[in-house]
Amino acid sequence: MNEIIRPRGATPPLSAQRWDDSRFDEERAKILATWKTGADVDLNDAAAFHRSRAALTNVARKRGWAKQTGNVLLQPYGGVTTLAGQTELIRHVATEGGADIVPTTIDSQTRNLKYAAAEEALRASERQGAELLNGFPIVNHGVASTRQLVQAVDVPVEMRIGTVFPQLAVEVGFAGGMSSVTAGPIYYTAHYSRDTSLPETIANWQYVFRLIGRYAELGVPIGLQIHGIGTSTPFPNTLLGACCVLETLIAAAQGARSFSLDARLMGNMVQDVAGVRAIREVAEDYVCGRFGYRDAVITIDRKSWSGRYPEDMARAYGIVCYNAMSGMLAGANEFIANSVQEGVGIPLKESNADTLKAIRQVVGMMKGQRAGLQAEPVENEIRLMKLEMNAILDAVLELGEGDPARATELGFRHGLIDIPFAASRHCKNEVMVARDAEGAVRYLDAGRIPVPPEVLKYHRACLERRETGRRRKIDYQTIVDDIFSISRGCLVND
Amino acid sequence: MNEIIRPRGATPPLSAQRWDDSRFDEERAKILATWKTGADVDLNDAAAFHRSRAALTNVARKRGWAKQTGNVLLQPYGGVTTLAGQTELIRHVATEGGADIVPTTIDSQTRNLKYAAAEEALRASERQGAELLNGFPIVNHGVASTRQLVQAVDVPVEMRIGTVFPQLAVEVGFAGGMSSVTAGPIYYTAHYSRDTSLPETIANWQYVFRLIGRYAELGVPIGLQIHGIGTSTPFPNTLLGACCVLETLIAAAQGARSFSLDARLMGNMVQDVAGVRAIREVAEDYVCGRFGYRDAVITIDRKSWSGRYPEDMARAYGIVCYNAMSGMLAGANEFIANSVQEGVGIPLKESNADTLKAIRQVVGMMKGQRAGLQAEPVENEIRLMKLEMNAILDAVLELGEGDPARATELGFRHGLIDIPFAASRHCKNEVMVARDAEGAVRYLDAGRIPVPPEVLKYHRACLERRETGRRRKIDYQTIVDDIFSISRGCLVND
Amino acid sequence: MSSDQRSTKGTIVTGVIGDDVHVIGIRLMEYALKQNGFAVVSLGPLAQQKEFIDAAIESAADALFVSSLNGHAELHIPGLRDACVEAGIGDILIYAGGQLTIRRPDWEQVRKRFVDELGLDRIYPPDVNPDTPIHDLESDIGARRAGKSRKETA
Amino acid sequence: MSSDQRSTKGTIVTGVIGDDVHVIGIRLMEYALKQNGFAVVSLGPLAQQKEFIDAAIESAADALFVSSLNGHAELHIPGLRDACVEAGIGDILIYAGGQLTIRRPDWEQVRKRFVDELGLDRIYPPDVNPDTPIHDLESDIGARRAGKSRKETA
Ligand code: B12
Ligand code: B12
């Protein structure tokens, strides 16, 4: 049982097609054998456990309920090493912070399959009463402990794991009663790995999606929070949205049906509001419309700014509340909330709860106030964003002959999908973005991304206005400034 | 030197006309004799002191500079009893919080001319190292101490004093180097006194305005922050704006020229944004246009929600940041910021600084983003608000035959200006307001306020939509709910 | 005490004491008192001790509802009970509410000061729901009237 | 050391150590290093100790720039100095930056751990401006070359 084994089947050619049962079962046997706790995973038993719990302790059901009733959901981030610590954390954010969904972030040793090292750190943490890992080593904790954890609160638990090797952790998480996981192959290839190829990550995540399909067949809906793509620096929500659609299509093909798609705060209000609405419309068009998954439930979560934060908590409240406002104006269904200690380190549970309370206050004050931003600039931005997302999706789907998995791989290979500051060697890194004078994110260099000429022209004009305004070209230093601007207290630092 | 003497001249008939010098000088001698520290007030010496200081240590100049350069100013609230305490407070909010203007709130014994009682509490505070009063007893501190205070920071100091008897405190404040004061007669009659009549309060404040005129003649501009009217419960910004215009006109007639007019956050974003813009346009029209004070400098400050706050600081951050956003979208020139401890008690200086940092973060992120809210609902609200303010102002000015002081008095007497929950016996208390379904403030009963039929009809329709929506009439319980809604976490609590 | 007043649940003098103008809370309290069948004599803001006492004597009131928010309760409430005693209404119920301190010391400490030392009957923190003091008032008045009737018939 | 490399200011191996993917900071650092005339060998994220050492030997590097943000520096940096010694490059400069701890203990404590105990030359807090380590690097390399030349000519 060596931790370095990275289980792989005799990989069939890349395709979005639903895995046949034999492929899944074969793969599954190997996965569950990679660490001792895999032996405790039993699908029927797990489904029975899920079914025994109240309906709204399930993430997928809770998102569906909230969408129908117009409730806005709040979820913080959070994961610590020990079972006691994680139990205390989720209890605190649920009861004190009023979280609607609680997170369990998995540590990065586990994400990289270093189970033995994680075991050592877990035991040391328990001995020292410290939390030595940057998340909850769920594989080492195993199914029984995870069930103890999820039963500690009456809100559902979403597992948060950025990795290209999700299979065993997800098996343990679902068997332990968690009912959603953050996904998927595009984001995690680009940003959470260096060498792993897209076909490999897609296959690893297809395993998870098929597992969700199996749970669905047993009457247990399981949710996905879909990241799409992103860089934690200023980044176009269009590219993010196009990749969300691809990840959703890949997941839907294996049987997943509950999708919360990210729309990330970048800071320009018009663009951020437009982003939520445009991603929603394009996703519904492709997923429920063109690809025919009519029973898919799509919600949009407003993710907070996910780049550098100020260390000062008071200033972080400014970002957190600004994010809440932009999400409310846009009609987001859920907030995934970085805490006001984001810039400091893994937050104390009290900070997590306080962050939720601040957001809840804004949500409460703005409920029903969407009408305020039916403004021309927003509608224009939505139109351009949809044009662009359609262009990207149509181009890569054509390359992939309609198969979203192959479309993804070929899209990256040919640079039609691309990001700056990628961790992965499989990104071309040709694209470069900058903020315009109002802080909206624009392509400085679109590389080979098939951005329609009208959109590109508009972006260029916006950037030129910034250059003219400050009488200085937009150069590398500007890009650096744009990465730090929010943490330094403004959006545009000219 | 008895503290209960309330100095009054042989009051000439009420009028906005500029006082003649003999009236002012006579009155002045009496005022300065009401407490021993009055003897240290010397106008020429004071003007020389002001002139010796850097230009931007003057509130009026700083507001003018900010307006020209597009800078947004931040000012917290704050006043404690002792000189040491107040010095520490303004230093802290200036250096740690980055305040652009620092406040000195005067205690309410002083506001009610109880100088002897204030003296006792001041000495006891010094002895005990405690802060026993709810503000800075400036009359007891006197000119020299006040100069020490203002010299402790390189930002200007605004004196904050809600009272119908401002004269001596303002004399000491200005002689001590403070360069602005919060005003004026309408707000302070309605809300800071019970029996004092409008003619009396107007005369008392005309004294202050004439004193500002004197300083102006000596080359020292002095600012005013104009409150208009308000109740710290949901309240129409139109009535507030109309009264701001009247107070400004009364002050301008005596020689004041620097005016920062309040526009208060009520919670509905469309209406709050419209409020700032409508008040600005109407004020410029009447003050600079119709009444011809072309050299008046008018800026608009976004005052934060000034009703009940939650005790929870995290939630208070939500309110504070929401306020900042609404002000930025509206193009406010300045923020007067309740601290995140508003609901708890007189804030610690650290909370004051933290509050400013949160606002500064939002201000920084939104600078230049106004375009976002050029939305139809906002333009419509602005149109209706201007219609209403014009109607009120024209009606009362007609009653007062063009004299804003008499217009004010007669307006109140006949109920054309009115508020709910007044402290003063001179308000009719016939008007009643409630929130509509989106939280906008609407007249439930306009009493005798000359609200144009079109506006009233619109308000009625909005309220009916709320009644239909929740299938329950708007009654007294609703009004109570609307007072507590924000402190309980939402805008509309149905 | 007139039988007329006996037929209402009681008469309450309300006001905001001293140099304080925070009138909104006591207005809501007055409304709730009336809704619950009490007669209210309202002094409004900036009410002095003497005004409370004069109004109480004139209306044969059962209780004073003293509000204070601006942080100066400590300057204006001491002496109130003694003044009542001196005026011959020493056993009148005195409740206070609003925000009785600057900042927030431990509530037990506040209670000790205002109830044990200054002789008030009951005090309430800012977040109190009007129902709570009204409920207390009903039972306090009930107890006293019962006591008095016993004495009278005895 | 080739005279060629002497003509640049030095060669630096950069990477994010262990199981860490936070690559943005080190990318900016690399950019600044190049701008300032250094040669950079970039390993990117998820770089293991052995990769640092192999690259350093291959490029005859002057320094390792080890980045770590995800809170696992304590799991991946210990042993790095010893491994360098073992590989025969024991005196190579090792700098680390990013976010070296979970939460924020006192900086002096952190310095003690990573510099005094683990043998790194310098460490930096998250808010460091790239100019600071580059300035330090120039003087550290300068001092060593001066030392070495003295030794060589001696
Ligand atoms: C609105 C307000 C004002 C308005 C008041 C308008 C008016 N005429 O009523 C204005 C702007 C005029 C004002 C002025 C000042 N205020 Co002010 N104000 C407030 C604020 C924001 C809300 C108060 C309120 O209306 N609450 C809503 C009502 C409904 O609640 P309530 O009064 O608590 O009443 C409830 C209960 O307590 C109960 N209750 C009340 N009284 C009684 C009495 C009895 C017997 C019983 C049983 C129950 C009861 O009934 C209500 C039902 O729920 C508070 C901060 C906060 N709490 O959020 C500060 C606050 C009370 N003010 C404060 C101060 C210092 C001042 C000023 C001195 C200075 C200043 N900040 O400008 C002046 C004082 C003027 C003066 N001479 O008194 C401080 C008091 C400090 C302290 N106690 O530690 C506070 C806490 C703000 C702060 N954090 O600094 N203020
Ligand atoms: C962006 C980000 C991410 C992105 C990273 C994208 C990428 N591929 O780079 C994503 C989303 C992938 C991510 C993932 C995770 N993250 Co993260 N992330 C951040 C965030 C928000 C900003 C980091 C950043 O980009 N800063 C901007 C750059 C420019 O600054 P910098 O890296 O500090 O670099 C500067 C200097 O430090 C210096 N420098 C950097 N390295 C070196 C080296 C040397 C030798 C020198 C001299 C100088 C130097 O150079 C730069 C110039 O100024 C921080 C929080 C924050 N700080 O605001 C959290 C944070 C670092 N992440 C954290 C964690 C725990 C994680 C996860 C484990 C869990 C999670 N939250 O999802 C995973 C880990 C994945 C993994 N395997 O490592 C924690 C770390 C906890 C701790 N240390 O206490 C933080 C602090 C968030 C938090 N408060 O919990 N994250």
Side-chain angles (χ1 to χ4, degrees), chain B residues 112-223:
Chain B
N112 289 291
L113 309 181
K114 308 256 164 83
Y115 304 133
E119 185 82 24
E120 212 175 285
L122 167 58
R123 297 310 155 210
S125 297
E126 287 169 346
R127 271 195 314 275
Q128 302 171 27
E131 306 284 349
L132 302 175
L133 291 168
N134 57 13
F136 186 73
I138 196 165
V139 170
N140 304 82
H141 282 291
V143 176
S145 293
T146 304
R147 287 194 185 174
Q148 238 176 286
L149 179 70
V150 304
Q151 287 177 301
V153 289
D154 54 12
V155 293
V157 182
E158 182 164 76
M159 178 169 168
R160 309 193 67 87
I161 183 167
T163 178
V164 292
F165 315 115
Q167 303 99 309
L168 182 57
V170 165
E171 283 277 10
V172 174
F174 291 172
M178 294 180 177
S179 46
S180 185
V181 66
T182 52
I186 299 178
Y187 184 58
Y188 293 146
T189 301
H191 238 49
Y192 280 80
S193 77
R194 186 179 62 181
D195 305 317
T196 316
S197 72
L198 266 164
E200 193 183 344
T201 316
I202 290 175
N204 292 350
W205 274 94
Q206 280 176 321
Y207 177 99
V208 171
F209 302 148
R210 187 77 274 278
L211 180 62
I212 291 176
R214 283 280 174 96
Y215 271 97
E217 290 151 21
L218 294 169
V220 178
I222 285 193

Side-chain angles (χ1 to χ4, degrees), chain C residues 17-92:
Chain C
I17 201 160
D19 58 355
D20 193 345
V21 301
H22 292 88
V23 79
I24 299 165
I26 199 73
R27 291 268 184 265
L28 295 185
M29 202 61 238
E30 290 164 2
Y31 177 79
L33 282 166
K34 286 182 203 155
Q35 288 269 311
N36 279 276
F38 289 92
V40 171
V41 178
S42 164
L43 301 173
L46 299 168
Q48 306 309 310
Q49 290 193 359
K50 198 174 169 319
E51 294 178 75
F52 275 100
I53 292 169
D54 291 349
I57 292 173
E58 196 177 313
S59 64
D62 297 276
L64 306 181
F65 264 42
V66 180
S67 186
S68 172
L69 269 88
N70 75 0
H72 284 185
E74 186 55 62
L75 303 177
H76 298 290
I77 289 184
L80 178 61
R81 174 60 75 193
D82 292 346
C84 288
V85 172
E86 222 164 276
I89 51 166
D91 63 349
I92 193 166

Side-chain angles (χ1 to χ4, degrees), chain B residues 315-437:
Chain B
R315 287 177 48 214
Y317 270 113
I319 302 178
V320 160
C321 296
Y322 180 73
N323 182 63
M325 287 198 56
S326 106
M328 287 306 288
L329 284 171
N333 303 93
E334 182 169 342
F335 288 94
I336 314 286
N338 294 71
S339 92
V340 294
Q341 290 192 328
E342 175 65 21
V344 178
I346 294 189
L348 297 173
K349 62 183 193 303
E350 291 79 10
S351 289
N352 255 326
D354 281 347
T355 305
L356 295 183
K357 286 193 250 176
I359 298 172
R360 184 76 71 191
Q361 178 72 32
V362 175
V363 169
M365 289 179 72
M366 291 192 66
K367 225 177 154 186
Q369 281 205 57
R370 264 183 76 183
L373 224 93
Q374 279 157 352
E376 211 281 307
V378 178
E379 304 306 324
N380 184 48
E381 194 78 31
I382 292 177
R383 189 180 62 79
L384 294 175
M385 289 179 115
K386 287 171 69 176
L387 259 183
E388 184 191 332
M389 283 192 271
N390 283 334
I392 297 170
L393 282 166
D394 293 349
V396 299
L397 284 167
E398 198 187 313
L399 267 186
E401 291 166 332
D403 182 303
R406 273 181 291 146
T408 300
E409 206 263 318
L410 293 168
F412 272 93
R413 192 183 309 161
H414 297 291
L416 271 61
I417 303 176
D418 191 13
I419 56 171
F421 299 106
S424 171
R425 294 191 172 150
H426 302 286
C427 292
K428 285 219 174 299
N429 269 310
E430 289 173 348
V431 61
M432 199 44 93
V433 299
R435 296 189 181 279
D436 69 17

